[in-house]
Amino acid sequence: MDHNTPGLTAPLQRALAGLNPGQREAVLHQSSPLLILAGAGSGKTRVITVKIAYQIEALGYDPRSILAVTFTNKAAGEMRERAAGLARGAGEAMIRTFHSFGAWMLRRNADAAGLPRGFSIYDDADSVSLLHSLYPERKRQDLARYSQAISRAKDYCLTPGDDLSRISEAPELPQVYAAYQKRLEEIGNVDFGDLIMRPVQLLESDPAVAGRLQGRFRSILVDEYQDSNVAQYRLLRALCDRTTFVCVVGDDDQSIYRFRGAEVQNILSFPEIFPGTRVVKLEQNYRSTAPILDLAGAVVARNEGRLGKELFTERPGGTLPRIVLLGDQDEEVARVIQEVRTDRRENRPGITAVLYRTNAQSRPFETALLREGIPYRIVGSLRFYDREEVKDAVAFLRFLANPRDEVGFRRIVNKPARGIGAKTVERLLLHRAAAGGDLRRACEYGLGEISRKAAASLKEFLQVFDDLDSALPEDSRDQDAARDQDAARSRSVPPEEEKTLAALVEQLLDRSGLSRYHQEQDEVAGSQKLQNLEELVNAAALYPPSREGLVEFLEAIELDSSRDQGSAEDARVVLITMHNTKGLEFERVIITGLEEGLFPRKDDPRELEEERRLFYVAITRAHQEVTLTSCRRRRLHGRFLDLMPSRFLGEIPPELVQVESPHGEGALQGGRSSGAGQAWQRGTAVYHDDYGSGVVLRVREAGAEWCVEVRFETGMTGQFFPAYDSSLERISGGEDSGGAFW
């Protein structure tokens, strides 16, 4: 087609002329359903907006007959603004989020849906409050679980009468769901799940409403289709008739929100659901270098559940991504600091992104960046010591160290809830002066003045502190021992892993009920609060189990909390989880924590495929450089745990990466030797510089090298790459000995 067609706006003509062949095909195709497989960084937003403008300008569509749906208000606003700049009247096209469209549809068909036109939309907190009005005897935390289950059921368009076993095994869920929905309908309001499910029910049950809406929307476009759930798929199906042009845009390789209800099968099965579908692949990437795209492609190619595409770029050059194998997370942090410090390029804000699987992993990076004075920002989360659960735990520790700490006392005395309300707290504080400021004693003085129930709870609260206080001796180290402890802390290595402050912090979290409380919060909200508390335990492992150690730990926390992280504009480092990187891009990406059990976390095949897609997303955020780090051991519950490198590293073809190890022989060279596996066969006696004598349990292929699993005479097991770990040596004797050490 001649893009200088008379009648088209100049901006649209320029936009059409700037499309690559795949993008142009996607914009011009109109004769059958269209699936646009848009790889990372391939310009999908440009394609959608140009297509909307093209339908209006070249094909004569009434803008009001076009419906485009996406998942965020920001994306909808950007799409609307771009389209309006390309075509006259494009601002009248309906460009909304799924939920916004559902609300629009229900309000305009309120009578048919059995709703008042002025209905309110309940959020999660409102839903829990409604359940509490039905079940006042139950705790809100318990009801929040039911609220979450009801929301998930609506994502699948399941009613109380349907089989809900896929949602939850709770036997009361159908009854609770039915009571909740009945009350919600009596009130005349809806929740967020209803904004999709009730339009589906209305369209599928009322031919008049369905016919009216199908007649209105001549073209329906869906962005980020890989993130749609079952209810959203059914809404799309119900809005389409045989004359509707339907186009979905997405990337099956970037479907990473299964935990939110996203169903990757929606995009995988689209050609089957909509016969005659044309599949157009957008494979030219405008973001990353060729070596980065080669790595990303090799990673995700292992997945079976994908339609398949190969990203390429016309950008010249690019360095090979690196795998850096380190001893522990302290070396990992030091490596990140080194990478930032030695960056010779222009120090532009946000040039380096440090990615991790869980929010809890941010803590050591935050601490190091603050102490080094390197400006950073953390995306999608609060700073570690600003997180609610961490502040709760630190408040307990502060009150343990100083019973005069009123701020800490007020925060923790009724958390988790113990029936010690604000009025009771004020009555107890009246005895502060008589107790010489000691709030522990003030509580004892006031026990007789509060209700029997509150007094019993307060006694249990005080007993926790008495027990912990008695377990916390005064510091008795001599000067030499103190120097040894300080030297160990400067190396970030606990002198004796069994004798650190971590055990006391872990005990406090258990006895106070905080671990259980925040674990329940995790189950409801899908948050990572318990992992953050575990990371606080890890931080405490650097301090001795004494009163002085506790004070030092709290002082370090206060110093880190008070240090300026720098402004967002000046930040040289971005700390972010892999999930939160979706839609973002950075000059350089460092992906940390690539160990089995951390990433990937589970062995379930479906989970593994999604974790592999998450890895792909993380890699494709980078413009110029990718570094992957894996640690041989990592602290967990204040103790070191030996770990295996992530299986994803072993899946990478050797020619696509450089492998480095400060403890070994540097980068891997060449291919795998066929004889090397025999040299490390099962039963081979070995010796390791750090772990002593052991026996090989098994050997497996890992990319270009052999990975050897060893059981040591201490009972510990570990996995090693002999090609670059020179600390592991074969020793004479013991081969095929039957495993004398195990």
Side-chain angles (χ1 to χ4, degrees):
M1 175 181 174
D2 181 2
H3 301 308
N4 293 316
T5 303
L8 298 187
T9 65
L12 178 55
Q13 291 184 37
R14 288 193 296 270
L16 287 167
L19 299 176
N20 66 41
Q23 293 172 333
R24 188 174 299 111
E25 180 183 1
V27 167
L28 301 184
H29 178 78
Q30 197 68 23
S31 59
S32 64
L34 177 62
L35 167 58
I36 303 175
L37 279 182
S42 62
K44 69 178 179 62
T45 303
R46 170 198 270 186
V47 169
I48 298 172
T49 54
V50 174
K51 190 169 187 67
I52 292 171
Y54 181 78
Q55 287 179 332
I56 296 169
E57 291 284 326
L59 303 180
Y61 277 41
D62 182 335
R64 292 170 297 179
S65 73
I66 298 174
L67 170 63
V69 289
T70 187
F71 282 84
T72 67
N73 288 319
K74 179 181 178 182
E78 180 183 355
M79 199 181 298
R80 189 180 303 111
E81 182 179 350
R82 288 196 190 185
L86 295 175
R88 293 175 288 264
E92 296 181 34
M94 183 170 290
I95 302 176
R96 293 175 176 268
T97 64
F98 270 106
H99 289 93
S100 172
F101 173 78
W104 173 88
M105 180 182 155
L106 288 176
R107 291 203 190 280
R108 279 151 186 78
N109 298 276
D111 292 341
L115 288 167
R117 292 185 183 276
F119 64 80
S120 296
I121 301 169
Y122 280 5
D123 61 15
D124 292 343
D126 295 328
S127 296
V128 174
S129 295
L130 181 59
L131 282 170
H132 194 255
S133 71
L134 292 167
Y135 302 97
E137 74 283 359
R138 297 195 178 189
K139 294 181 180 180
R140 284 181 174 268
Q141 274 183 276
D142 294 333
L143 295 173
R145 291 196 194 91
Y146 283 108
S147 175
Q148 184 190 38
I150 291 169
S151 177
R152 179 56 62 86
K154 292 184 177 184
D155 286 343
Y156 286 93
C157 277
L158 297 175
T159 68
D162 292 321
D163 180 6
L164 300 178
S165 60
R166 67 185 299 184
I167 305 299
S168 171
E169 295 296 333
E172 289 184 284
L173 177 58
Q175 175 188 341
V176 173
Y177 184 4
Y180 167 86
Q181 195 63 27
K182 180 182 178 183
R183 177 64 61 86
L184 191 61
E185 291 173 2
E186 289 172 349
I187 295 170
N189 289 333
V190 299
D191 58 22
F192 268 87
D194 285 329
L195 293 179
I196 307 297
M197 187 171 82
R198 292 195 66 162
V200 170
Q201 293 172 331
L202 182 58
L203 288 165
E204 292 179 348
S205 64
D206 192 323
V209 173
R212 188 166 62 251
L213 285 168
Q214 290 167 354
R216 160 146 187 195
F217 295 116
R218 186 177 172 190
S219 173
I220 300 177
L221 304 98
V222 183
D223 189 21
E224 302 286 5
Y225 191 60
Q226 78 280 348
D227 294 335
S228 61
N229 60 34
V230 170
Q232 289 158 344
Y233 153 73
R234 285 180 59 176
L235 179 61
L236 173 64
R237 286 285 291 153
L239 285 169
C240 296
D241 65 13
R242 287 179 298 177
T243 66
T244 308
F245 173 74
V246 58
C247 168
V248 298
V249 186
D251 184 358
D252 51 334
D253 291 332
Q254 294 190 71
S255 180
I256 60 173
Y257 296 124
R258 183 166 171 257
F259 65 96
R260 295 180 187 169
E263 180 52 72
V264 70
Q265 285 300 320
N266 286 354
I267 193 168
L268 295 179
S269 62
F270 185 86
E272 301 169 17
I273 302 299
F274 292 87
T277 290
R278 177 75 164 271
V279 179
V280 176
K281 299 180 181 182
L282 304 185
E283 298 175 303
Q284 183 171 352
N285 177 282
Y286 294 92
R287 178 188 301 154
S288 307
T289 63
I292 292 172
L293 298 180
D294 291 342
L295 171 62
V299 163
V300 80
R302 292 274 183 160
N303 278 357
E304 295 180 2
R306 63 189 298 259
L307 296 172
K309 60 185 172 306
E310 294 185 14
L311 296 183
F312 69 93
T313 182
E314 294 182 352
R315 291 179 58 188
T319 59
L320 281 181
R322 290 172 295 175
I323 296 175
V324 182
L325 300 147
L326 301 160
D328 56 37
Q329 74 268 36
D330 299 312
E331 289 185 12
E332 184 178 58
V333 170
R335 179 59 181 247
V336 168
I337 297 297
Q338 176 189 353
E339 295 256 342
V340 175
R341 287 292 192 202
T342 58
D343 188 3
R344 294 183 175 85
R345 296 169 301 177
E346 179 186 357
N347 284 330
R348 288 176 291 172
I351 198 168
T352 300
V354 178
L355 279 54
Y356 34 78
R357 183 64 178 81
T358 65
N359 277 314
Q361 291 168 255
S362 75
R363 198 271 311 168
F365 296 111
E366 289 186 66
T367 297
L369 291 167
L370 286 166
R371 292 178 181 175
E372 292 288 328
I374 299 174
Y376 76 93
R377 63 187 173 95
I378 188 163
V379 175
S381 176
L382 294 170
R383 294 170 65 182
F384 183 80
Y385 289 113
D386 289 338
R387 296 169 192 168
E388 176 199 10
E389 60 279 9
V390 177
K391 294 185 77 168
D392 291 342
V394 171
F396 268 92
L397 293 170
R398 282 169 47 190
F399 188 65
L400 180 61
N402 177 18
R404 297 169 180 263
D405 182 2
E406 181 180 339
V407 174
F409 173 75
R410 285 181 180 274
R411 185 178 183 99
I412 61 174
V413 68
N414 198 41
K415 191 170 188 181
R418 300 180 177 86
I420 305 173
K423 291 183 179 179
T424 299
V425 171
E426 295 302 329
R427 182 176 292 276
L428 294 171
L429 290 177
L430 292 175
H431 297 279
R432 179 171 39 197
D438 187 327
L439 301 184
R440 168 71 181 77
R441 291 171 58 196
C443 287
E444 289 185 339
Y445 292 166
L447 276 172
E449 302 174 8
I450 60 178
S451 70
R452 188 177 304 174
K453 181 180 179 182
S457 296
L458 185 60
K459 285 180 181 178
E460 291 179 5
F461 172 78
L462 297 176
Q463 189 62 51
V464 171
F465 283 95
D466 287 346
D467 293 346
L468 291 170
D469 190 65
S470 63
L472 194 65
E474 297 296 334
D475 194 78
S476 58
R477 298 175 299 172
D478 58 29
Q479 292 185 350
D480 289 339
R483 281 194 295 270
D484 291 342
Q485 188 85 22
D486 291 340
R489 191 151 55 252
S490 70
R491 297 191 305 270
S492 298
V493 177
E496 296 180 50
E497 293 178 25
E498 295 79 11
K499 298 179 181 179
T500 72
L501 192 64
L504 180 130
V505 176
E506 203 163 24
Q507 184 182 1
L508 182 146
L509 294 174
D510 178 56
R511 293 285 307 279
S512 68
L514 270 182
S515 285
R516 183 171 58 256
Y517 172 78
H518 286 297
Q519 183 177 25
E520 291 172 348
Q521 295 285 308
D522 281 351
E523 292 173 0
V524 171
S527 57
Q528 298 169 347
K529 293 177 180 290
L530 193 60
Q531 290 173 330
N532 288 331
L533 291 177
E534 291 173 352
E535 182 57 34
L536 184 69
V537 173
N538 291 336
L542 301 177
Y543 298 86
S546 64
R547 196 167 302 280
E548 183 174 323
L550 174 59
V551 171
E552 289 176 359
F553 181 42
L554 291 171
E555 181 179 303
I557 290 173
E558 184 59 35
L559 288 173
D560 282 350
S561 300
S562 63
R563 285 188 172 101
D564 184 10
Q565 70 182 91
S567 67
E569 294 75 20
D570 296 332
R572 293 176 56 193
V573 179
V574 172
L575 302 179
I576 187 169
T577 66
M578 296 185 206
H579 276 104
N580 281 329
T581 62
K582 183 78 179 297
L584 303 178
E585 53 190 74
F586 309 93
E587 287 295 302
R588 175 171 56 174
V589 164
I590 304 174
I591 305 173
T592 63
L594 285 162
E595 298 109 30
E596 286 291 306
L598 187 57
F599 187 66
R601 295 194 293 179
K602 299 178 181 178
D603 284 326
D604 177 81
R606 290 189 66 184
E607 295 283 353
L608 276 176
E609 294 231 337
E610 178 142 330
E611 294 275 276
R612 204 175 273 115
R613 291 195 293 268
L614 183 59
F615 193 19
Y616 167 86
V617 168
I619 292 168
T620 55
R621 299 310 94 192
H623 286 197
Q624 300 286 351
E625 295 180 20
V626 169
T627 300
L628 314 173
T629 66
S630 179
C631 296
R632 189 165 58 190
R633 60 179 189 165
R634 192 175 289 274
R635 284 192 197 91
L636 186 65
H637 305 298
R639 300 172 181 85
F640 275 113
L641 177 69
D642 287 271
L643 300 168
M644 299 164 50
S646 170
R647 71 189 69 187
F648 296 157
L649 296 181
E651 293 173 354
I652 298 172
E655 65 273 11
L656 299 184
V657 290
Q658 305 174 61
V659 180
E660 303 175 17
S661 173
H663 302 288
E665 300 170 354
L668 293 176
Q669 301 292 330
R672 181 174 54 243
S673 168
S674 60
Q678 297 177 357
W680 297 94
Q681 62 186 325
R682 186 180 188 278
T684 301
V686 298
Y687 182 83
H688 194 280
D689 291 348
D690 295 334
Y691 307 117
S693 300
V695 170
V696 173
L697 293 180
R698 68 187 182 104
V699 182
R700 65 179 176 87
E701 297 180 6
E705 293 299 330
W706 295 98
C707 181
V708 179
E709 183 175 349
V710 177
R711 171 73 62 83
F712 293 94
E713 57 186 341
T714 60
M716 188 204 85
T717 60
Q719 295 204 12
F720 307 91
F721 287 89
Y724 59 79
D725 192 341
S726 59
S727 300
L728 185 70
E729 300 177 12
R730 296 188 302 278
I731 58 178
S732 59
E735 292 200 17
D736 299 318
S737 62
F741 306 134
W742 47 280

